[in-house]
Amino acid sequence: MNHDTYPDTFIRNILNTVKTIAMVGISPKENRPSFFAFKYLLERGYRMIPVNPGQAGKEILGQKVYASLKDIPEPVDMVDIFRASQHVMPVVDEAIALPRKPQVIWMQLGVRDDAAAAKAEAAGIKVVMNRCPKIEYGRLSSEISWIGVNSRTLSSKRAPLLGKGVQRMSLNRQTMSGGATDATDRAERVRDEQEK
Amino acid sequence: MTERTPGFSTLAIHAGAQPDPTTGARATPIYQTTSFVFDDVDHAASLFGLQAFGNIYTRIGNPTCAVLEERVAALEGGTAGLAVASGHAAQVLVMHALMTPGDEFVASKKLYGGSINQFNHSFKNFGWNVVWADPDDIGSFERAITPKTKAIFIESIANPGGVITDIEAIGNIARRAGVPLIVDNTLATPYLCRPIEHGADVVIHSLTKFLGGHGNSIGGMIVDAGTFNWSREGRYPMLSEPRPEYQGIVLHETFGNFAFAIACRVLGLRDLGPALSPFNAFLILTGIETLSLRMQKHCDNAKAVAEWLAANKHVAWVSYPGLAGDRYHNLARKYCPKGAGAVFTFGLKGGYEAGVKLVSNVKLFSHLANIGDTRSLIIHPASTTHRQLSDAQKVQAGAGPDVVRLSIGIEDKDDIIADLEQALAA
C-alpha cells in the first residue's frame, strides 16, 4: 500500500478495531511526546501496555512495563513504535514472531522504514508510518479542532460524545475528507533537499 | 474508493463547523464564556500541561474561535490556525515566536502603512529590527539577509497600490537563507491566492477586511503551513528548546507540523493576551461562508471601475494589476488568476484639490479608512491617513497629492461608476 497518504477510513477502522496497544519506546518522563500519546490513548479506553527495557518491572500511569513484546503475557492488537527509524526492523521482526501476531504495526510521526513495512505486510499485518495515533484520533473525532488544527474532515452529523465529561468525543462517526494540505510532504521534500 | 477533496466554496461553508456535539445546533454557537469546566483535577492538569486537546480559558482558546481557525487553515491549505484580536496582533505574535532582541527580519517596503509603522517603531522597542527590501527588485531581499535574519515578510497583494509580490521568487530566497516566509494574504484572501502553494511557511490575515467582509468586526489570523523545520539549526528556540513554563516540553517535537500555531497560542496569545472575541469570530465566520461569491463580485466590479477610470478625462493614471498593460499584470495572472483584488489607487489630473473635491462629492462611496467591505469605500490619503508626511514622503509612500484609493464593494457596478462620474464632474 501507498504509505505517503492514508485514507481516513483506513485509519478510523484501525483505531476503532484495536483494543490493546503495546507502545514500544515509551518514556516515563511526563514531558515526552510518547508519554502524552500513551496517556491520551489510555484515557480513551484503550488497554495500553508500555514496553521499555530500561523501565521493565516498573509502572507508567499504573500500567506494568515490559522489556520487550515477547514478555507481554497477553495478545496485543497493535504495536506502536516510538523509536528512531533505524531501530524499527528488530521490533517488527519480534512482532511477527509473536504467537499471536498483532493486526497493526504503527510507526510514530517521523518514523518510517519501508523494508520493515513490506515485511510486516507480507505477514498479513496492516502498517501505518509517520503518523501519531493521538493526533489521528484527535483529527478523526474532531477533538483536535479545539486547538485550531485543520482536521481535514467535514461532517453534517453531530460528533458523539464519550461517556465521561463534555471535552471527550468518540471516534465512532462518519466524516468526509476535508481540505487537503501537502504541507507535510513539502516539509519533507525541503528537508531532503537541504540535507543533500 | 478514493475520498473526494471538497472544493473551496464547500470548505468556506463547512470546514471546522460541525453540528454542536451537545445541542445539535447547526450554525456555529457563540460560546460567550470566559472559562470551561474541567472533568476532574487530572483533566485540568492534562490541559494545562498541553497533554490533552480541550478548552480552558477564552484568552487561550474558545470553541467559536476554533471553528474560525480551522476554517481559515483549511481554506489556505495549512495545518492549523490561530485567531487573534486583529491583523496587527497576528504580526506581533508571529514575530514574538521567531525573534529575540537584536534579531532582524526582512520586509517588503510595499506594505500596508499600519504595518510599516508597527515594524519601524513598536517592534524596534522589542529589539526586533526590520530591514526593508523592494519587491520590484527581488535581489534586494537576498542582499538584506544577514546571520541575524529570522524571517522574510511580504504581502501577496500589497495595500494600497495594487502591487502583486512575486511570492515564489522571494520564497526561494527564504528557503536558501533557512528562514520562514511570512505572507500577509489579507487583500487577496485564499479565494484569489493561496500563498502556501507558492512557498509561504506562515500566512497571516486581517480578518477585518474581505474574509469578514462586512465592515463589522476587527480580527486577525495566523495560519501555520506546517512546512518549516524549526529544529534544523536551533535558530528558533521558542520551538526547538524545552519550555520551562510547560514542564520542559519541546513544542516542535511534540506538535510536529502544527507546532508554530501552537507556539503562537500557548506562548504568545497566553502571555501577551490579544484574544479574539467569540462574537467577532461568529460574525467573521458568517462572512466567510459567502467569500467565493463576494470576492468574485468585488474583483469583477473593481476591474470594470478600473477600466472606466482609465478612460476618464479627469484621471491621470490607474494602478490596478487586473488591467492589461499594468506593470504587475503578469504577476496577477500567475498568482491571482480569478481577479486582482478590489483595492487600488488612481491619480487625478487636478491634484490635491481634485482629490478633496472627489471625496466630498461622492454619495454612494463611504469616505473612511477601512478596506474590504461590501460597501464601496474611498479615501484621499494625502488629506487624511498620510497628512502628517512631507510632500516628498507622501510621494514615496504612494500617497502623493493626486492619489485616491478605492475599495470596490459589491453593489451594482453601474451605480458605483455613476457615483464616481457625478463626483468627478461636479
Side-chain angles (χ1 to χ4, degrees), chain A residues 8 32 145 151 173 177 183, chain B residues 3-4 18 70 225 247 253:
Chain A
D8 285 352
R32 305 299 302 154
S145 301
S151 70
R173 58 193 296 242
S177 70
Chain B
E3 294 180 65
R4 274 185 68 79
Q18 303 177 0
E70 186 173 1
Q247 317 92 41
E253 173 189 63

Side-chain angles (χ1 to χ4, degrees), chain A residues 17 28 37 48 53 56 58 85 117 119 125 132 138 157 162 186 193:
Chain A
T17 310
M48 296 299 295
K58 297 179 188 166
S85 300
K119 200 188 239 184
I125 299 172
C132 171
K157 298 280 190 284
L162 287 178
R186 177 149 74 89
E193 279 170 30

Side-chain angles (χ1 to χ4, degrees), chain B residues 301-323:
Chain B
N301 280 357
K303 185 157 186 283
V305 173
E307 283 168 351
W308 181 84
L309 282 170
N312 186 278
K313 64 178 183 205
H314 302 289
V315 173
W317 52 266
V318 178
S319 170
Y320 182 64
L323 294 177

Side-chain angles (χ1 to χ4, degrees), chain B residues 16 54 59 70 81 88 91 99 174 184-185 208 264 268 272 379 421:
Chain B
R59 194 183 72 246
E70 186 173 1
H88 262 34
Q91 290 173 177
M99 312 280 286
D184 179 343
N185 199 33
T208 315
C264 289
L272 301 177
I379 198 157
E421 186 168 30

Side-chain angles (χ1 to χ4, degrees), chain B residues 81 149 223 311 349 364 367 391 397 408:
Chain B
T149 306
V223 176
K349 287 178 183 161
L364 184 66
H367 179 208
D391 279 357
I408 300 299

Side-chain angles (χ1 to χ4, degrees), chain A residues 108-128:
Chain A
Q108 272 296 326
L109 210 53
V111 182
R112 179 163 178 161
D113 180 340
D114 285 278
K119 200 188 239 184
E121 284 171 335
I125 299 172
K126 289 178 193 161
V127 175
V128 176

Side-chain angles (χ1 to χ4, degrees), chain B residues 77-99:
Chain B
T79 53
L82 177 66
V84 293
S86 69
H88 262 34
Q91 290 173 177
V92 174
L93 294 200
V94 164
M95 291 304 173
H96 174 255
L98 300 177
M99 312 280 286

